[in-house]
Amino acid sequence: MQVFPGDPEVTITVAAEIVADGFQVAEVHAGTHTGTHLDAPLHTIEGGASVDQIDLSRLVGVARIVRLSQVEPGHVFVWSDVEAQLSDLDSVAMVLFQTGWSAHFGTEMYLRHPAFDAEIAVRLLDRGISVIGVDTLNPDLTDLSGADVDLPFHRALLGANGVIVENLTNLASVDFADPWVSVLPLPYQGMDGSPVRAVAMERNSPIEA
């Protein structure tokens, strides 16, 4: 599975088999930011809340999906690109950005994803939205040069006790209004993030996101 450059690689091996042992158990080795996952404030903010300290009620509710098109590698979306789709957020629990970049997952192109200006995080916080998800590796640009990491979107959102969900996929299949979305993490004590099972629901019809 593709991971952020330098993060722990994912390995899954069989530790016990039914034929030999009477039961099956697998061993999973992965980082806290593997696959579709949640960034807790502790990820980039010293002394920030860990994943087990996040109120789960913030992570289940109505989502606004912002549909973005004509995406080029490295493009940075600004507030004026998304503003028109972000009115009337009173009943919205989270905002998810669909760029279509998840189609590149597992390839080098996925690392050259578009990004989001930190002003978007600030303006959404002003509107009461503190959970933001993207269908890319990172809401900030991923610098592959080896230079110091600069994460202005992370600083703005996580610094205000917000939460980021990364590597979402299949958002185009959520083609109904006001989806009820769940992005619940594992309660890793003192940890900076966790994989999540992201699911969008319309009545009794879940769609994995």
Side-chain angles (χ1 to χ4, degrees):
M1 178 180 287
Q2 189 172 30
V3 297
F4 188 89
D7 275 12
E9 297 292 335
V10 179
T11 60
I12 303 175
T13 56
V14 176
E17 297 180 307
I18 294 173
V19 172
D21 307 294
F23 56 89
Q24 179 166 313
V25 173
E27 177 182 342
V28 179
H29 178 270
T32 50
H33 298 263
T34 296
T36 304
H37 67 273
L38 177 153
D39 289 358
L42 183 60
H43 181 46
T44 59
I45 305 300
E46 186 173 359
S50 56
V51 69
D52 58 304
Q53 295 174 321
I54 298 171
D55 183 351
L56 295 183
S57 67
R58 299 171 58 196
L59 306 178
V60 180
V62 174
R64 173 70 52 81
I65 300 179
V66 177
R67 317 283 185 178
L68 300 167
S69 59
Q70 299 180 339
V71 181
E72 298 295 329
H75 177 78
V76 178
F77 292 104
V78 297
W79 177 248
S80 60
D81 296 323
V82 302
E83 181 179 10
Q85 299 183 60
L86 290 171
S87 60
D88 302 322
L89 296 176
D90 289 347
S91 63
V92 172
M94 65 189 77
V95 169
L96 311 178
F97 290 100
Q98 178 200 339
T99 68
W101 211 256
S102 57
H104 299 296
F105 187 79
T107 72
E108 188 274 337
M109 180 66 77
Y110 194 65
L111 304 178
R112 300 168 58 199
H113 58 83
F116 298 85
D117 189 83
E119 183 187 3
I120 295 174
V122 172
R123 287 185 177 261
L124 285 174
L125 286 165
D126 288 343
R127 288 158 174 76
I129 301 296
S130 62
V131 179
I132 299 175
V134 296
D135 65 351
T136 62
L137 182 67
N138 188 351
D140 291 298
L141 291 173
T142 297
D143 188 348
L144 304 177
S145 69
D148 291 340
V149 175
D150 184 28
L151 302 171
F153 192 99
H154 280 74
R155 284 199 307 272
L157 190 63
L158 301 188
N161 202 38
V163 171
I164 298 172
V165 182
E166 297 169 332
N167 291 330
L168 288 164
T169 189
N170 208 26
L171 288 177
S173 296
V174 187
D175 56 1
F176 44 89
D178 301 324
W180 189 265
V181 172
S182 168
V183 289
L184 296 177
L186 295 168
Y188 292 141
Q189 186 173 4
M191 293 291 101
D192 44 77
S194 168
V196 303
R197 181 73 178 268
V199 177
M201 292 164 274
E202 181 185 28
R203 297 190 179 92
N204 297 318
S205 302
I207 293 179
E208 193 171 348

